[in-house]
Amino acid sequence: MVTPRGLGSLLLLLLLLTSGQEKPTELPRNTCLGSNNIDKYDILNLNDKASCFTKCRQWGSDSCNVENLQRYWLNFEAHLVKEGLMEKVNMPFLKALVQNLSTNTAEDLYFSLKPSQIPRQVMKDEDKPPDRVRLPKSFFRSLPGNRSEVRLAVTILDIGSGTLFKGPHLGLGDGSSVLNNHLVGLSVGQMRVTKLAEPLEIVFSHQCPPPNMTLTCVFWDVTKGPTGDWASEGCSTEVVPEGTMCCCDHLTFFALLLRPTLDQSTVHILTRISQAGCGVSMIFLAFTTILYAVLRLSRQRFRSEDAPKIHVALGGSLFLLNLAFLVNVGSGSKGSDAACWARGAVFHYFLLCAFTWMGLEAFHLYLLAIRVFNTYFGHYFLKLSLVGWGLPALIVIGTGSANSYGLYTIRDRENRTSLELCWFREGTAMYALYITVHGYFLITFLFGMVVLALVAWKIFTLSGATAVKERGQNRKKVLTILGLSSLVGVTWGLAIFTPLGLSTVYIFALFNSLQGVFICCWFTILYLPSQSTTVSSSTARLDQAHSASQE
């Protein structure tokens, strides 16, 4: 008979034995690390890996291993050809055809590549589809070994908008992308096919690209960098009525890259225009500073006015920006990594200083013409200077601590280097570029445009109702608005129109590099002794009244 105490001891022993046999809790599986089931191609694993096309959206993410995931998809065609289990694959992100072909064919073979359908062989009596691949009859005779039959795999892969198969050069923020995010893969058996005597042809149908963009045929080169990259060696690009035809002498994954049209000659011309404009602007900005010093010594009242100080501060920031640009472009990739880092940081700093002082010009204009009353600020110009020179310094320190500066390369349609300068390094540093340059400029530019629009409205409506009509008054108003436009950086806004075509790029480079000339003209008209007869006398009087309120 088992006593209650003996029964309790037995239950306790069973519990201990059971707890000792418990399996450890498994951690959640992260599919996008690519370390699990890297060689499994069942439906479940294919869907899991395909989810990473949208999940992996940021370079360097700890939750995604781009190299493993790309290797998984690159090996998929080899798996199809080797296993021979599936002749067709039809999934939302993947269409594939595996077919045995005779090497004794006497004619070229065509296959349809419509992204929404499984690839299929096109018969002789059919019309050629707009998306297609042509394998010349000589292709099969050039294959190694004496085989009567080979197994061909044709794959269409939708890589989505994430970082997979994008490479480091599609994150430059210049609009480059894989056209429609579609890749076309070709493989034959377990053979590495290269240097074909007669290239194969792949036709991608598409609408006309934007006028300042170009399409380039590329293939995925696994030997480039740690994760691979797009390359164009062995491929040529031809324009056909349906779209673009790629002629390549090897088999792998192919795609069309959409890139800005900035070839070496275009970049060279734009660089020369910018250098000439910056040089001229520096001369005029230096003259502006000298004129300010002379007027400050000769006019007692001039010393207390804030507007000329702000104009000169803006001119000084532009002078230093132009100087940093000339040094940066002239130096290129010369020097050590540390020197390149320093040149990129200095160029970034003075660019932000110029943007900031344009914003401060708009702020001062707002106080003069819009707010008018209750505009007293103690140590007004000192506070503006702290913002104008100090805020950019804080941003550059933060950006530099993230090691964002380095060599920046502009490439042409053949992936050749057109220009190298020290700026933001390629890769994840592009996010810092978007925030600290594009975003910062957009804020200051929009603020300046709003203030300028309000001032223009006030000049053309209120002054017309109160002022005595003078001959040519409207012309003076227009010239006044143009002068104020140079202070708030309207010429920088021309960058918004550069996607319209190459001509707008030239216009932006010319007018923006001459901003210093426009500022000098405005300063001269505004403050020379003949100011009472100029278009800007009202602006000068407004600033004198504002300066008097600061005293």
Side-chain angles (χ1 to χ4, degrees), residues 19-79:
S19 63
Q21 294 175 353
E22 288 182 356
K23 295 181 180 181
T25 303
E26 293 185 1
L27 296 174
R29 180 169 58 94
N30 189 345
T31 302
C32 295
L33 288 176
S35 55
N36 298 318
N37 301 323
I38 194 65
D39 57 348
K40 303 295 183 183
Y41 293 98
D42 54 86
I43 299 298
L44 178 61
N45 278 292
L46 286 172
N47 279 306
D48 282 347
K49 295 296 189 294
S51 67
C52 303
F53 287 139
T54 54
K55 290 180 181 178
C56 300
R57 291 183 175 274
Q58 184 173 354
W59 282 99
S61 173
D62 294 335
S63 61
C64 292
N65 189 316
V66 173
E67 183 179 5
N68 284 345
L69 292 170
Q70 291 174 170
R71 188 184 302 114
Y72 178 85
W73 292 108
L74 290 172
N75 292 336
F76 177 62
E77 275 193 334
H79 165 79

Side-chain angles (χ1 to χ4, degrees), residues 233-246:
E233 292 82 1
C235 289
S236 62
T237 305
E238 298 181 18
V239 178
V240 293
E242 302 93 331
T244 301
M245 181 170 66
C246 301

Side-chain angles (χ1 to χ4, degrees), residues 250-325:
H250 55 280
L251 299 185
T252 181
F253 274 92
F254 302 93
L256 272 181
L257 288 193
L258 187 65
R259 290 171 167 167
T261 308
L262 283 179
D263 53 25
Q264 288 182 334
S265 60
T266 303
V267 172
H268 179 77
I269 294 172
L270 289 172
T271 302
R272 290 293 177 264
I273 291 175
S274 299
Q275 288 175 324
C278 289
V280 173
S281 285
M282 290 176 67
I283 295 174
F284 277 79
L285 289 170
F287 174 77
T288 303
T289 304
I290 295 173
L291 178 60
Y292 170 76
V294 172
L295 292 175
R296 185 179 174 86
L297 292 175
S298 59
R299 298 183 184 179
Q300 183 68 26
R301 185 67 186 176
F302 197 79
R303 300 177 185 179
S304 60
E305 294 182 12
D306 292 316
K309 299 177 185 177
I310 299 173
H311 300 339
V312 171
L314 173 60
S317 65
L318 288 173
F319 181 92
L320 295 172
L321 173 62
N322 291 335
L323 179 61
F325 171 77

Side-chain angles (χ1 to χ4, degrees), residues 26-260:
E26 293 185 1
L27 296 174
R29 180 169 58 94
N30 189 345
T31 302
C32 295
L33 288 176
S35 55
N36 298 318
N37 301 323
I38 194 65
D39 57 348
K40 303 295 183 183
Y41 293 98
D42 54 86
I43 299 298
L44 178 61
N45 278 292
L46 286 172
N47 279 306
D48 282 347
K49 295 296 189 294
S51 67
C52 303
F53 287 139
T54 54
K55 290 180 181 178
C56 300
R57 291 183 175 274
Q58 184 173 354
W59 282 99
S61 173
D62 294 335
S63 61
C64 292
N65 189 316
V66 173
E67 183 179 5
N68 284 345
L69 292 170
Q70 291 174 170
R71 188 184 302 114
Y72 178 85
W73 292 108
L74 290 172
N75 292 336
F76 177 62
E77 275 193 334
H79 165 79
L80 290 177
V81 173
K82 180 180 178 181
E83 298 297 333
L85 301 177
M86 297 180 288
E87 292 187 353
K88 294 181 180 180
V89 179
N90 187 9
M91 305 181 75
F93 55 88
L94 177 66
K95 313 290 182 183
L97 169 70
V98 183
Q99 184 172 327
N100 293 325
L101 296 173
S102 172
T103 58
N104 295 321
T105 180
E107 57 189 20
D108 299 341
L109 298 184
Y110 289 85
F111 293 86
S112 172
L113 297 176
K114 189 174 181 179
S116 60
Q117 299 177 356
I118 299 174
R120 63 176 183 84
Q121 186 174 355
V122 181
M123 299 295 103
K124 289 190 296 182
D125 56 346
E126 287 186 73
D127 293 332
K128 301 298 184 295
D131 295 273
R132 63 185 182 270
V133 58
R134 181 184 77 90
L135 299 178
K137 56 187 177 182
S138 61
F139 167 79
F140 298 97
R141 293 194 296 268
S142 63
L143 296 176
N146 297 320
R147 306 186 185 191
S148 61
E149 190 177 70
V150 293
R151 193 167 176 82
L152 171 71
V154 183
T155 306
I156 303 174
L157 184 62
D158 185 350
I159 59 174
S161 57
T163 56
L164 269 69
F165 290 105
K166 297 302 191 295
H169 297 134
L170 293 191
L172 299 178
D174 58 1
S176 300
S177 63
V178 176
L179 185 69
N180 298 326
N181 290 319
H182 285 151
L183 273 59
V184 173
L186 298 169
S187 63
V188 174
Q190 299 295 306
M191 294 175 284
R192 185 172 180 268
V193 181
T194 59
K195 298 182 179 179
L196 296 171
E198 185 178 357
L200 58 92
E201 296 175 356
I202 305 174
V203 178
F204 296 90
S205 66
H206 56 81
Q207 297 179 344
C208 293
N212 65 326
M213 304 293 285
T214 186
L215 289 165
T216 305
C217 296
V218 291
F219 70 95
W220 188 257
D221 190 348
V222 296
T223 64
K224 284 198 170 187
T227 61
D229 195 7
W230 294 108
S232 58
E233 292 82 1
C235 289
S236 62
T237 305
E238 298 181 18
V239 178
V240 293
E242 302 93 331
T244 301
M245 181 170 66
C246 301
C247 302
C248 300
D249 63 358
H250 55 280
L251 299 185
T252 181
F253 274 92
F254 302 93
L256 272 181
L257 288 193
L258 187 65
R259 290 171 167 167

